[in-house]
Amino acid sequence: MTSEQGGRSGPRNNQGSGAGGVRRRDDAGRERNRSTGRNRTETAPGQRTRVADPARLVAFEVLRAVSADDAYANLVLPTRIRRHGLDRRDAGFATELTYGALRAQGTYDAILAKCVDRPLSELDPAILDALRIGAHQLMAMRVPTHAALDQTVGLARAVIGAGPSGLVNAVLRKVAAKELPEWIVELTDGLTDDVKIASIEHSHPEWIVRAMRQALVAHGRDVSEITALLEADNAAPVVNLVALPGLGDLSEAFDAGFMPGELVADSALSSGGDLSRLESVRDGSVRVQDAGSQLVARALAAVFVTSEKNDGEERWLDMCAGPGGKAALLAALAAEQGAWILANEPSVHRAKLVTQALAAVPEDTWTVRTGDGRDIGKEHPESFDRILVDAPCTGLGALRRRPESRWRRKLSDVTELGPLQRELLASALDAVKPGGVVAYVTCSPHVAETIAVVEDAVRKREDLELLDAGAALDAVSLSGSVGAGNPASPIPAHQKMAQLWPHIHQSDAMFLALIRKN
């Protein structure tokens, strides 16, 4: 089946899978009429598709793996694309359909609940995933309505059964009766709670919307930015590359169509493609890494320390190194500065990934340790000049890249992770030398995982000083205004902690605090 036969096209607008859509337009940009006749929504029984279109099948299989096996879409999708032999165009279609359906799941489920005669929890999960795939084609992709219905029903008939396919057909015909903006108006009619409205419009759980609003305010930003932040979460992320300093070269990436990164040196950006074709990526000297992660690693490596060196050599520590992205960049920076780094990871499997990530860096500049980071402070007191604590967190700052996380994470996760985050930071503060610096980093803007953890640590000790993390980010950014561009917080200590934002910096929402032991 060709792409034209399957009704393939791209997202309806630049936001792609965002929950707030626009009216459908033809290839010339004109709005398409949405007739209500039989030809638009029904197909004669003898003409109905009875096979699963490969691109839609890939999206369905990924959604099933995410729903049934707690899999991560970014890990499953490439393997399914290769398994089904999709060409570049169909792979792009499957990718948009997969991530779009996952990002907008909350909004689509609210719509589907209006179109199904029973609670969605009573539907077979496979049927619900097929409905979500159909809803995304109808609501946010330039797929003709008849093609979206016919192909999704054919998918359901092929992989679920003839009976369920009838239900899928009936429900999606109801969904297709309205455009997405009309559905949003209906779903939010009568609501006065801004959090509930934003949750429906932008497909985020209410507790995450509330947490993001609180984080904006805590960092001195206007709460009205929540709309732009949530929209950024729903935009397809750009692929970020980093050339390991002194080791990697981006010329191959630029020849392949990548653009120079605008936030941090030695970085490149691309909308996608098969990165494995790049030799520099295969040999590990160029790595996929978000610009925010690059910035916080560089900020730690560049900050001034006054600790006493061991034999003239600085000793660095990455306390939570798996899977190895920041460790590789730090190790390359350490090698340039004549330093040595210990990369610690408690998981044996992830420790192996760290070793693989460091393979491109000279072996005499790093060591991988498998163990609990909470023990390092006691085992190696005051032994390191620079320590990175990239603490386990909810990952709310990377929802663009892992859209399923917003539905998988719970508010209780924040509470459960809190003690671990505090214990790791306390261990690092014991392990750092006087005059040395600890960088506390999370890929989450949640106040309970960021500001609260750092304030607790500083309050319990008298030998600590908060450095200006915003200024440290500025010093290693290309613009020189990453941290200084943020409005000042009304709480003095917060002025020294830095928060990156997807809607401002086009990076993950990385948090950075720099703590010096006096």
Side-chain angles (χ1 to χ4, degrees):
M1 176 174 294
T2 67
S3 293
E4 288 75 14
Q5 289 172 318
R8 303 287 173 77
S9 190
R12 292 189 188 178
N13 53 58
N14 290 335
Q15 292 181 343
S17 56
V22 297
R23 297 189 64 82
R24 292 180 180 171
R25 299 178 183 275
D26 60 19
D27 291 337
R30 296 183 293 270
E31 287 190 4
R32 295 195 286 107
N33 293 328
R34 294 185 60 81
S35 61
T36 57
R38 172 183 172 89
N39 289 340
R40 184 176 65 82
T41 59
E42 297 182 28
T43 305
Q47 298 175 318
R48 290 174 183 160
T49 298
R50 299 180 181 277
V51 296
D53 167 59
R56 291 173 174 87
L57 179 59
V58 165
F60 175 78
E61 289 181 351
V62 176
L63 260 64
R64 291 303 308 130
V66 169
S67 299
D69 305 325
D70 284 338
Y72 288 104
N74 66 316
L75 300 180
V76 177
L77 180 61
T79 62
R80 299 305 168 97
I81 287 175
R82 289 193 293 269
R83 179 181 301 175
H84 289 279
L86 301 189
D87 61 23
R88 184 172 182 177
R89 183 176 182 181
D90 283 357
F93 182 90
T95 299
E96 159 59 19
L97 185 52
T98 299
Y99 285 123
L102 287 171
R103 290 189 186 101
Q105 178 177 307
T107 301
Y108 295 156
D109 283 4
I111 295 172
L112 292 169
K114 291 278 189 179
C115 302
V116 178
D117 60 359
R118 73 197 77 166
L120 295 187
S121 60
E122 295 182 7
L123 285 178
D124 184 293
I127 295 175
L128 183 55
D129 282 336
L131 289 172
R132 290 164 175 162
I133 287 174
H136 186 60
Q137 294 171 73
L138 291 167
M139 297 290 99
M141 296 181 74
R142 292 181 303 187
V143 176
T145 303
H146 68 86
L149 290 168
D150 185 53
Q151 293 295 329
T152 307
V153 171
L155 169 70
R157 182 178 292 110
V159 299
I160 306 175
S165 71
L167 172 63
V168 169
N169 182 53
V171 172
L172 291 182
R173 287 175 57 195
K174 295 179 182 178
V175 172
K178 297 184 181 74
E179 294 275 3
L180 181 56
E182 296 173 288
W183 276 116
I184 295 296
V185 170
E186 179 176 331
L187 293 170
T188 58
D189 183 42
L191 296 180
T192 58
D193 186 335
D194 289 341
V195 171
K196 290 182 179 295
I197 294 172
S199 174
I200 293 172
E201 287 184 340
H202 302 291
S203 193
H204 283 66
E206 288 182 30
W207 76 270
I208 292 182
V209 176
R210 192 170 292 110
M212 296 295 193
R213 287 166 58 100
Q214 292 170 349
L216 286 167
V217 172
H219 287 279
R221 308 206 68 90
D222 196 298
V223 73
S224 64
E225 292 184 33
I226 187 63
T227 298
L229 174 54
L230 298 179
E231 287 177 348
D233 269 354
N234 286 335
V238 172
V239 176
N240 288 213
L241 293 182
V242 58
L244 297 184
L247 301 168
D249 187 340
L250 290 172
S251 58
E252 184 186 20
F254 295 145
D255 290 343
F258 280 70
M259 300 298 293
E262 299 179 354
L263 195 63
V264 59
D266 297 326
S267 66
L269 309 174
S270 172
S271 59
D274 184 7
L275 297 177
S276 64
R277 72 185 188 279
L278 301 179
E279 174 63 28
S280 55
V281 172
R282 293 197 300 270
D283 68 25
S285 63
V286 172
R287 303 186 56 81
V288 177
Q289 188 174 61
D290 180 73
S293 295
Q294 298 176 43
L295 275 176
V296 296
R298 287 182 176 273
L300 173 61
V303 70
F304 180 68
V305 299
T306 60
S307 53
E308 183 178 344
K309 311 299 185 291
N310 288 10
D311 299 323
E313 178 185 70
E314 285 193 8
R315 295 168 58 84
W316 298 8
L317 168 65
D318 185 347
M319 184 172 279
C320 310
K326 295 185 188 68
L329 178 53
L330 278 175
L333 292 167
E336 279 195 324
Q337 298 182 31
W340 171 88
I341 185 169
L342 174 65
N344 178 77
E345 169 55 43
S347 164
V348 174
H349 169 67
R350 286 167 65 88
K352 292 180 180 178
L353 296 179
V354 175
T355 301
Q356 294 171 9
L358 294 171
V361 184
E363 293 184 6
D364 59 347
T365 62
W366 55 268
T367 299
V368 175
R369 173 187 185 271
T370 303
D372 194 327
R374 291 172 291 185
D375 298 331
I376 294 179
K378 295 179 180 178
E379 296 177 1
H380 303 280
E382 298 189 346
S383 299
F384 299 95
D385 302 274
R386 303 172 195 267
I387 299 178
L388 173 66
V389 183
D390 186 10
C393 67
T394 55
L396 299 186
L399 296 183
R400 304 175 305 153
R401 303 185 187 282
R402 290 191 172 179
E404 66 277 358
S405 292
R406 70 185 73 181
W407 314 117
R408 188 171 292 168
R409 282 298 189 184
K410 300 177 182 177
L411 180 57
S412 59
D413 294 335
V414 178
T415 303
E416 293 173 2
L417 285 166
L420 174 60
Q421 293 161 351
R422 285 165 171 78
E423 290 167 6
L424 287 168
L425 180 53
S427 177
L429 294 171
D430 288 337
V432 73
K433 299 176 183 178
V437 175
V438 173
Y440 177 79
V441 171
T442 65
C443 187
S444 169
H446 199 297
V447 174
E449 299 188 274
T450 57
I451 294 172
V453 174
V454 175
E455 287 189 334
D456 283 353
V458 173
R459 186 167 47 244
K460 292 176 180 178
R461 301 178 59 143
E462 297 182 354
D463 59 344
L464 304 178
E465 172 192 4
L466 271 177
L467 303 182
D468 189 338
L473 290 176
D474 289 345
V476 296
S477 71
L478 293 178
S479 67
S481 60
V482 173
N486 288 346
S489 166
I491 303 175
H494 294 185
Q495 295 180 20
K496 297 184 177 181
M497 304 182 204
Q499 178 67 60
L500 299 176
W501 301 100
H503 67 296
I504 297 172
H505 306 105
Q506 288 73 55
S507 72
D508 291 345
M510 301 297 296
F511 170 85
L512 172 66
L514 294 173
I515 309 169
R516 171 179 287 144
K517 180 186 286 186
N518 291 322

